[in-house]
Amino acid sequence: MKRLLRFIPAFAALLVLGCNSDPIDDNPAPDDDDTQNPSVHEIVTLSDYDLTFSNGDKKTLTVTADITGVTVDASEFVLQDEDGKEPQYVSINSYEYVSENVISLTLRDKRPADSNIKKYTELVYVVHAPTSVRSDAPLRLRSTPYFPVVRITTTVPQNYIDKNNWTPGTIEIDGGGDYSDLEKMNAEIKGRGNSTWSWEKKPYAIKLESKKEVMDMPKHKRWCLIANYMDRTHMRNRVAYHISENTGLAYTTRNRYVELYFNDKYQGLYLLTEQIKEDKNRVDITELSPSDTGDAITGGYLLEFDTNYDEDKRFHTSASYIPVNLKYPDAADITSEQWDYIKGYVNSLDEAVWKLGQGLDDSSEVFRMLDRQSMIDFWIVFELMANHEVLHPKSVYFHKDRGGKLIAGPVWDFDYQTLTQSTANSWINYNLSYYYSEFPWFEQNWWNVLLSKDLEFKHDVKTRWNELYPFLTTIPDYIEAQQEYISDAEARNYQRWPSINGTGNPNGDERLSFNDAVKRLKDTYTSRLLWMNTQIAGW
């Protein structure tokens, strides 16, 4: 009779062995009726099950041994590696006869508590020694995962690194047992960010010597280390990206928490992210070549609306004076025909939105050029996170593929003045009316105009909000999970950076403890979610 595998709670797996008293025959003779042949062995695969150990830990493996014709004794079971030898790191510590044919084996991590061996994975088989019967696939035993570490070494001191020049060095990453490692390789490093670069804890851009998969994120050369210096919770970017990746937006930057050592000096807790780049695994748009003409000049393009206005190719739109920076293609690679095309396209779209705002036209011309669904999801992420940077604008990305419309996204940069108590119950980018403001894209920004002047668009936002709402209610649980995951690393980060200097206290929680800041973040999010849900229900 076919025997089945079931789970046992905690760190236990169930192994079912079926055999007679004879050793396994690797090449048994065929039989017309295997179900009646006592030499047929029903062996259960264990390859999907993990037992994880800290140094010297003990875990329980329960073995149900239904072995035909054999009286089973706990002491007859052993562990073997793939070569039939005793495993290197794990042994059977004790055994117990639980009931008929049910044996409990206690496995022990053989590393002493002060072992320098932090990480291992062993594939082991549970073997009934007298009959040589073993599981047909191994059980995976491994050391308990620990926090990932990035090590950067440069040829010059860290304080010589600047934003304008790439500095050669090396990088290596220990994935901590949860993610793949990156063996030491050549890389270049420079500073990144605008106001964030002036603060004590520095953010960095990384350019690998060649494209590599990093911590199980798809291959690429370009990566970012985000310091989250002014964010006492270290979570605002992480939470925003988690929300974004669960919407319909085409791409959200993948990210991992890490601890950074720079020239062997501890620098604290960072968020390692993909850099926003044109790539099949990132912003997936058609590669634009200088030789492209005709219809081919319609894409692809990657744009950033940002008042820093610091790219070589940039312009202000004619109607709303939006500062538009070209991120792809590179300034040196774009032809004048292509540059004129994308400038003309964005200007025409901006003029169409302006006419809608002035009551001179409906939105049909706008959505002939602008992707509707991405605008909805983009607004929900920014509004729910109460990120006012869409109004500056700063770090507001759009992209356009060949033959397609302008698409909102990806989202970026949520560590500064987001989910604060002061804006928990107020709109960030809806129902705005003109007044003298530091934000140049205030009343006339595209989302505010569309929500205020296009009832069909507003209705579609409400419908989409209701679709996403069940997921959005899970974010407090996600925040708690992140809190638990980074708590030890955050404590080490706090020892390195006990004060958050010169940031202006943008989030209002810089002087709180980590746990109090996280609680405030979670409470603010919950309050804002409920407030927005009530407001949108009335639309």
Side-chain angles (χ1 to χ4, degrees):
M1 180 176 68
K2 192 73 173 178
R3 297 170 177 84
L4 302 177
L5 185 69
R6 63 182 175 85
F7 285 106
I8 291 180
F11 288 91
L14 179 67
L15 174 64
V16 182
L17 304 177
C19 69
N20 69 352
S21 58
D22 297 323
I24 287 180
D25 181 358
D26 289 333
N27 297 290
D31 193 280
D32 292 334
D33 185 6
D34 281 348
T35 62
Q36 301 301 316
N37 187 347
S39 68
V40 173
H41 311 299
E42 305 269 4
I43 307 297
V44 175
T45 298
L46 290 175
S47 58
D48 290 340
Y49 304 127
D50 288 353
L51 294 181
T52 61
F53 295 82
S54 297
N55 294 40
D57 266 5
K58 299 174 183 178
K59 307 293 182 188
T60 299
L61 174 68
T62 300
V63 181
T64 298
D66 183 6
I67 303 178
T68 305
V70 175
T71 301
V72 178
D73 187 280
S75 63
E76 296 175 340
F77 286 91
V78 296
L79 301 180
Q80 292 181 359
D81 64 16
E82 293 177 294
D83 298 323
K85 298 178 181 179
E86 179 182 344
Q88 183 176 1
Y89 297 108
V90 179
S91 63
I92 295 177
N93 185 74
S94 61
Y95 43 80
E96 179 183 0
Y97 182 80
V98 179
S99 60
E100 184 178 2
N101 294 334
V102 178
I103 308 300
S104 177
L105 305 177
T106 300
L107 309 185
R108 185 178 188 277
D109 184 316
K110 293 191 290 187
R111 296 173 302 161
D114 59 352
S115 172
N116 291 325
I117 301 171
K118 291 185 176 181
K119 179 168 55 179
Y120 69 81
T121 298
E122 285 201 297
L123 302 179
V124 304
Y125 299 86
V126 179
V127 181
H128 183 244
T131 61
S132 298
V133 173
R134 73 176 192 177
S135 53
D136 68 342
L139 177 73
R140 188 167 76 131
L141 308 178
R142 61 175 181 153
S143 53
T144 301
Y146 51 91
F147 216 82
V149 171
V150 174
R151 294 185 182 275
I152 290 175
T153 304
T154 57
T155 57
V156 300
Q158 182 183 2
N159 59 357
Y160 282 28
I161 306 296
D162 62 41
K163 287 175 49 178
N164 301 314
N165 301 286
W166 289 102
T167 297
T170 62
I171 184 172
E172 59 183 317
I173 299 176
D174 183 339
D178 271 342
Y179 303 105
S180 58
D181 298 339
L182 180 68
E183 295 185 1
K184 182 183 287 188
M185 67 178 298
N186 291 330
E188 294 178 290
I189 296 90
K190 70 176 181 178
R192 67 166 313 280
N194 292 299
S195 58
T196 55
W197 179 248
S198 66
W199 298 335
E200 290 180 309
K201 186 182 177 188
K202 304 295 186 183
Y204 297 99
I206 300 168
K207 181 166 61 176
L208 303 180
E209 183 179 37
S210 59
K211 286 187 176 183
K212 292 289 184 181
E213 183 178 290
V214 173
M215 296 182 70
D216 302 327
M217 295 181 282
K219 289 182 178 181
H220 206 280
K221 287 185 176 183
R222 300 293 289 273
W223 305 86
C224 298
L225 281 165
I226 306 301
N228 288 322
Y229 179 61
M230 88 297 294
D231 182 0
R232 187 69 183 89
T233 71
H234 299 267
M235 291 188 198
R236 286 175 167 85
N237 277 315
R238 179 84 160 170
V239 169
Y241 298 151
H242 178 64
I243 294 172
S244 174
E245 68 186 0
N246 283 276
T247 69
L249 290 172
Y251 164 69
T252 300
T253 50
R254 301 171 186 90
N255 57 93
R256 305 280 189 263
Y257 280 120
V258 299
E259 290 181 280
L260 174 64
Y261 287 81
F262 203 118
N263 290 338
D264 292 326
K265 184 177 180 181
Y266 181 70
Q267 295 299 315
L269 176 61
Y270 278 74
L271 194 64
L272 174 65
T273 75
E274 297 175 322
Q275 186 171 355
I276 295 176
K277 289 286 184 179
E278 174 274 328
D279 186 83
K280 66 178 181 179
N281 291 316
R282 296 191 181 179
V283 181
D284 189 10
I285 52 179
T286 305
E287 184 176 346
L288 188 65
S289 167
S291 62
D292 288 331
T293 59
D295 291 341
I297 68 172
T298 61
Y301 299 94
L302 175 62
L303 307 173
E304 181 186 18
F305 294 5
D306 195 308
T307 52
N308 286 305
Y309 205 55
D310 52 4
E311 294 295 334
D312 291 337
K313 285 290 188 179
R314 60 197 181 201
F315 67 96
H316 283 94
T317 59
S318 53
S320 303
Y321 204 65
I322 306 168
V324 182
N325 297 267
L326 179 71
K327 304 295 287 188
Y328 177 84
D330 290 339
D333 297 330
I334 192 170
T335 66
S336 58
E337 181 185 15
Q338 295 162 354
W339 180 234
D340 289 343
Y341 168 80
I342 192 60
K343 284 198 301 182
Y345 191 96
V346 176
N347 272 324
S348 295
L349 174 54
D350 188 42
E351 289 169 5
V353 176
W354 183 85
K355 288 180 179 178
L356 173 66
Q358 300 299 311
L360 302 176
D361 205 347
D362 60 23
S363 64
S364 58
E365 182 66 8
V366 173
F367 288 115
R368 185 182 67 81
M369 295 178 280
L370 184 62
D371 179 76
R372 188 185 199 91
Q373 190 60 50
S374 68
M375 288 291 287
I376 293 172
D377 284 358
F378 192 96
W379 178 84
I380 288 175
V381 176
F382 266 80
E383 190 66 36
L384 183 56
M385 292 296 295
N387 187 344
H388 68 271
E389 297 224 326
V390 73
L391 306 177
H392 278 222
K394 286 187 177 178
S395 301
V396 177
Y397 284 87
F398 285 87
H399 59 281
K400 184 184 183 303
D401 204 0
R402 185 165 296 173
K405 300 178 181 181
L406 196 67
I407 299 172
V411 302
W412 182 253
D413 197 10
F414 285 79
D415 55 353
Y416 191 93
Q417 205 169 346
T418 57
L419 286 181
T420 63
Q421 285 186 324
S422 61
T423 57
N425 297 328
S426 60
W427 292 114
I428 299 299
N429 185 15
Y430 166 63
N431 202 26
L432 304 176
S433 56
Y434 180 79
Y435 69 95
Y436 179 77
S437 170
E438 62 178 309
F439 304 135
W441 205 27
F442 192 77
E443 182 187 29
Q444 65 268 41
N445 85 77
W446 295 350
W447 289 274
N448 186 51
V449 172
L450 288 167
L451 285 167
S452 301
K453 303 296 183 178
D454 186 343
L455 293 179
E456 185 177 353
F457 180 77
K458 188 175 180 181
H459 176 269
D460 290 348
V461 170
K462 179 180 180 179
T463 299
R464 181 60 170 155
W465 172 266
N466 291 333
E467 292 172 352
L468 291 174
Y469 188 75
F471 160 72
L472 297 177
T473 62
T474 70
I475 299 303
D477 292 337
Y478 179 79
I479 291 174
E480 289 182 1
Q482 300 307 297
Q483 177 183 10
E484 181 178 0
Y485 177 61
I486 69 173
S487 59
D488 290 344
E490 187 283 327
R492 293 186 289 269
N493 180 89
Y494 186 73
Q495 287 182 330
R496 178 67 180 86
W497 307 105
S499 300
I500 303 175
N501 298 318
T503 67
N505 197 28
N507 297 319
D509 57 10
E510 283 82 347
R511 293 172 179 81
L512 298 179
S513 70
F514 172 64
N515 288 337
D516 286 346
V518 173
K519 183 180 185 301
R520 178 180 289 187
L521 181 76
K522 184 175 64 174
D523 291 348
T524 300
Y525 174 87
T526 300
S527 175
R528 181 159 188 78
L529 178 69
L530 294 175
W531 180 83
M532 283 185 62
N533 193 54
T534 300
Q535 297 296 313
I536 292 174
W539 285 5

